[in-house]
Amino acid sequence: MLLSNPGFAVSSTPHRMVFQSRSHWTEAEANTNAVIKGKIGLHQIVGSSRNLKFISRSVSEGEALTEYDTPFPNDYIDLLKQAKRATELALKDGKQLMEIEFPTAGLGSVPGDGEGGNEMTGSMQLIREFCDILVAPEKVTRTRIFFPEANEVKFARQVFEGVSFKLDYLTKPSFFEDFGFGEKVKMADRVKPEDELFLVGYPYFNVNEMIVVEELYKEAVMNTNRKMIIFNGELDRIRSGYYPSFFYPKLAALTKSLLPMMETVYYIHNFKGRNGGTLFRCYPGPWRVLRRMGNKYFCVHQQEKMPSLKEVALDILPAA
């Protein structure tokens, strides 16, 4: 379940390296004189390394890879299957607030590669496909899917035609929205007693949307048996301080109120440029920084807690 490319690397010390290939992991010996060669297409390169000593997923003889060393997905079908499995394991472990985040303009894309409207439309279709494989038939009518605003629900009804998921919205635009005001929608009035799962799709276009998500969580999920999934919410904008706290105090406050309660169950963030790579996580596995060489991905770093994007870009990838 991998996107892969050829590459080369030279090691000055012996290693047994773990490489990721299409649907499995393979091992290759590297020593002082060994060079792993391959043709590199410029359109395929994400990152390269000349020294394997920085690769952290080395294993000793007989060491087995764990069950949760999930390979990078080959396509969106693989991705949704992985996200489904990760979500099921998180639900089994009692997680109540979950995040799924990945690029929609291509598995190797970064934010901004795709036009905003197209990315949202892509997310809507992927939400439909994800819900189709995650939610059991008898739970469909107990699943409520929230889109950013009321107008999107009209389009969503076409995408979700033929299924009985409940389609809803977070905000209802008004004439005053251009001046920073929106029509208040009380979230407690939008849910029904039989609702069991809320999935919130891409609440990032308007800064008020994530504030409403927190309201939904506090009023209708917290202290209940309900679960909530935020799907492609671009929460890294909030984590990284993209919105200055002076101008957006409520949004900035989410880093201390809502986000610490959230489990990121599936995550892909790509870094382009000379020190390119990918931050990848599939629950309950660790956070891994991957580098793509040739037709393989390999891990250059892993840790239990999510590293900041700044840390990955400025410290981890340059050192690899």
Side-chain angles (χ1 to χ4, degrees):
M1 298 196 301
L2 284 185
L3 294 171
S4 315
N5 312 54
F8 72 94
V10 180
S11 176
S12 58
T13 55
H15 288 272
R16 174 172 290 274
M17 306 316 304
V18 178
F19 289 91
Q20 192 173 349
S21 61
R22 289 189 56 81
S23 60
H24 59 282
W25 292 81
T26 59
E27 296 179 3
E29 288 287 350
N31 56 44
T32 304
N33 300 317
V35 178
I36 301 171
K37 299 180 179 180
K39 296 179 180 179
I40 304 177
L42 292 178
H43 65 286
Q44 297 173 317
I45 295 175
V46 174
S48 61
S49 173
R50 289 181 176 271
N51 196 331
L52 290 178
K53 70 181 182 180
F54 292 112
I55 300 175
S56 62
R57 273 301 299 175
S58 59
V59 295
S60 59
E61 279 288 345
E63 181 184 350
L65 290 168
T66 71
E67 177 185 355
Y68 302 117
D69 282 322
T70 305
F72 192 80
N74 182 54
D75 52 33
Y76 283 105
I77 295 175
D78 286 345
L79 183 153
L80 291 176
K81 289 179 180 177
Q82 291 178 356
K84 169 184 179 288
R85 175 62 174 160
T87 303
E88 289 174 337
L89 291 172
L91 289 170
K92 184 178 180 180
D93 289 343
K95 304 299 181 183
Q96 189 171 38
L97 178 61
M98 293 157 280
E99 174 192 15
I100 293 174
E101 182 71 39
F102 59 86
T104 59
L107 294 183
S109 66
V110 298
D113 277 358
E115 194 276 324
N118 291 336
E119 289 186 347
M120 291 180 182
T121 300
S123 283
M124 182 182 291
Q125 182 61 48
L126 289 164
I127 288 171
R128 162 69 195 268
E129 295 174 14
F130 176 70
C131 289
D132 281 346
I133 63 175
L134 175 71
V135 182
E138 66 274 13
K139 299 288 187 178
V140 168
T141 58
R142 301 178 187 180
T143 301
R144 187 174 295 273
I145 303 172
F146 288 89
F147 293 98
E149 59 182 47
N151 292 337
E152 292 209 43
V153 176
K154 297 177 182 178
F155 179 65
R157 296 195 191 284
Q158 302 174 38
V159 176
F160 284 80
E161 185 177 4
V163 292
S164 301
F165 293 111
K166 295 178 180 178
L167 306 181
D168 217 318
Y169 60 90
L170 298 173
T171 62
K172 189 173 183 180
S174 68
F175 170 79
F176 298 101
E177 188 176 35
D178 290 338
F179 300 94
F181 301 96
E183 183 175 330
K184 179 66 174 177
V185 179
K186 188 169 178 58
M187 299 313 297
D189 295 337
R190 305 213 59 81
V191 304
K192 303 299 178 184
E194 63 271 20
D195 291 344
E196 296 181 3
L197 173 66
F198 298 144
L199 189 146
V200 182
Y202 46 94
Y204 63 83
F205 186 74
N206 184 309
V207 295
N208 292 322
E209 290 164 5
M210 271 306 301
I211 296 173
V212 177
V213 170
E214 181 183 38
E215 178 188 333
L216 175 63
Y217 177 74
K218 289 182 176 180
E219 293 185 359
V221 179
M222 186 183 288
N223 300 320
T224 73
N225 291 323
R226 293 188 177 117
K227 313 296 182 183
M228 177 188 286
I229 301 170
I230 299 176
F231 195 101
N232 282 349
E234 293 200 9
L235 301 182
D236 288 325
R237 294 187 183 189
I238 301 174
R239 293 187 181 103
S240 66
Y242 176 84
Y243 299 102
S245 59
F246 180 79
F247 296 105
Y248 304 97
K250 291 183 178 180
L251 205 60
L254 296 180
T255 59
K256 297 180 180 179
S257 58
L258 187 69
L259 299 192
M261 295 185 286
M262 185 178 304
E263 184 72 45
T264 302
V265 298
Y266 196 84
Y267 183 94
I268 294 174
H269 184 97
N270 296 302
F271 300 81
K272 290 190 175 182
R274 181 179 178 183
N275 295 315
T278 300
L279 179 60
F280 179 58
R281 203 256 172 138
C282 184
Y283 182 91
W287 289 86
R288 292 182 287 152
V289 178
L290 307 178
R291 176 153 282 168
R292 178 177 174 178
M293 292 181 61
N295 60 354
K296 300 176 178 66
Y297 275 86
F298 58 89
C299 182
V300 298
H301 178 86
Q302 71 176 40
Q303 61 187 65
E304 291 304 311
K305 292 186 178 181
M306 181 183 187
S308 70
L309 299 185
K310 182 178 180 180
E311 180 184 0
V312 176
L314 299 183
D315 298 329
I316 298 173
L317 283 171

